[in-house]
Amino acid sequence: MATTPTAKTPPASKDRPTGKDSRRGNPRLNWTFMAVFSLAVTGYFVGQYATAGLQTLGAQHVGLASNYAQRALPIQLAFYLHIVFAGVALSVGPFQFVRAIRRRWPTLHRWIGRTYVLAIAVGSVAAFVMSFVSQAGLVGLFGFGSLAVLWAWTTYRGYRAIRGRDVAEHRAWMIRSFALTFAAPTLRLWLGLLIGAQALVGSHATDQQMFDNAYAAVPFLCWLPNIVVAELMIRRRNLPGLRFSSGAGQVRSQVRATPVPE
């Protein structure tokens, strides 16, 4: 009797680039752009809500202030908590992926990660509460509500992986997590594109109507493409892909190790 040889487990992913990594451009330049863009979005869109109260900003049609100006105090509190903590997550998130920080200052990397996880723990709950009164109605409830749940879940999986010392799994889940964090900038990009498209085709709608039309499309559009890009990045880095059932992998391993007659 003989057994079929089992495939060797590939070594854990390292920080050094592989052959595949060399074909995906300059990672340092990519993450620098992400960091600058994230900080710019945080500074502008978070800062605008610090200039006055919701009543004043709502009358001036600043951002989403008009939708929350007349809401109950718990909803307004959730709004401000989300603005602040999502801004923190967006600001510190890109620095998790800076290789120099991971290698030279691992303690700093861990504290950035803890800040990021804590910010999402608060920001995601606040976002889920906000989804029930979204300006986009039911589309906003399901789109932004799903985003809030997945944002918390992917971050938790990344945290749990590093607690189990599974670095490759941790990196994969944190890429997914930040892809969802980056929904804030992509939402603004889609709003600009969709409003611009309406203007180009000669729409007779008012500025507010064009904004409302565009905003109705972004609850899913702001994060679904991000997740697709994240999975492509994970695959190109040879990091663990999504596994919906650990049992299936165990069954395949048992099948490979089953003795076969000569």
Side-chain angles (χ1 to χ4, degrees):
M1 301 289 287
T3 59
T4 55
T6 58
K8 292 183 178 179
T9 303
S13 175
K14 303 292 184 182
D15 283 343
R16 62 177 179 270
T18 62
K20 285 191 175 183
D21 290 336
S22 63
R23 296 195 298 268
R24 58 183 166 85
N26 188 332
R28 182 180 300 175
L29 191 60
N30 295 341
W31 287 112
T32 299
F33 168 77
M34 297 280 277
V36 171
F37 192 27
S38 297
L39 290 170
V41 169
T42 301
Y44 179 77
F45 289 101
V46 174
Q48 67 180 345
Y49 294 108
T51 59
L54 282 176
Q55 298 283 349
T56 302
L57 295 174
Q60 297 172 355
H61 300 288
V62 174
L64 301 175
S66 60
N67 184 47
Y68 294 96
Q70 306 300 326
R71 299 292 182 182
L73 183 59
I75 298 295
Q76 292 186 352
L77 178 61
F79 175 76
Y80 278 113
L81 285 174
H82 177 67
I83 290 295
V84 172
F85 284 94
V88 171
L90 185 60
S91 298
V92 304
F95 297 98
Q96 295 180 105
F97 303 97
V98 177
R99 186 177 299 157
I101 293 177
R102 293 201 305 269
R103 285 182 171 180
R104 300 176 189 173
W105 303 289
T107 301
L108 176 59
H109 174 71
R110 285 193 291 270
W111 277 106
I112 290 174
R114 289 167 185 162
T115 302
Y116 178 80
V117 170
L118 177 61
I120 292 176
V122 178
S124 61
V125 173
F128 186 73
V129 172
M130 290 169 58
S131 69
F132 287 88
V133 293
S134 171
Q135 189 169 321
L138 283 177
V139 177
L141 169 61
F142 289 105
F144 291 133
S146 299
L147 171 59
V149 171
L150 291 172
W151 195 27
W153 180 63
T154 54
T155 307
Y156 166 72
R157 290 295 302 269
Y159 171 77
R160 192 176 74 173
I162 200 61
R163 293 289 294 178
R165 301 184 183 277
D166 191 337
V167 176
E169 192 81 15
H170 169 70
R171 290 180 63 190
W173 281 107
M174 295 315 285
I175 288 174
R176 296 182 185 106
S177 171
F178 188 71
L180 296 175
T181 303
F182 205 71
T186 52
L187 182 147
R188 272 79 189 183
L189 287 174
W190 279 114
L191 281 177
L193 289 171
L194 294 172
I195 291 172
Q198 292 176 81
L200 284 175
V201 298
S203 173
H204 297 292
T206 65
D207 291 346
Q208 186 61 44
Q209 288 171 334
M210 286 195 289
F211 175 85
D212 291 342
N213 292 338
Y215 197 76
V218 297
F220 285 100
L221 199 57
C222 70
W223 61 271
L224 281 175
N226 295 19
I227 282 295
V228 173
V229 173
E231 289 304 317
L232 291 174
M233 292 174 63
I234 289 167
R235 182 173 181 178
R236 297 188 72 176
R237 285 162 172 76
N238 285 329
L239 295 172
L242 285 172
R243 294 194 302 270
F244 296 99
S245 173
S246 58
Q250 294 171 358
V251 170
R252 285 194 296 269
S253 298
Q254 292 171 0
V255 169
R256 287 196 301 267
T258 300
V260 296
E262 293 180 336

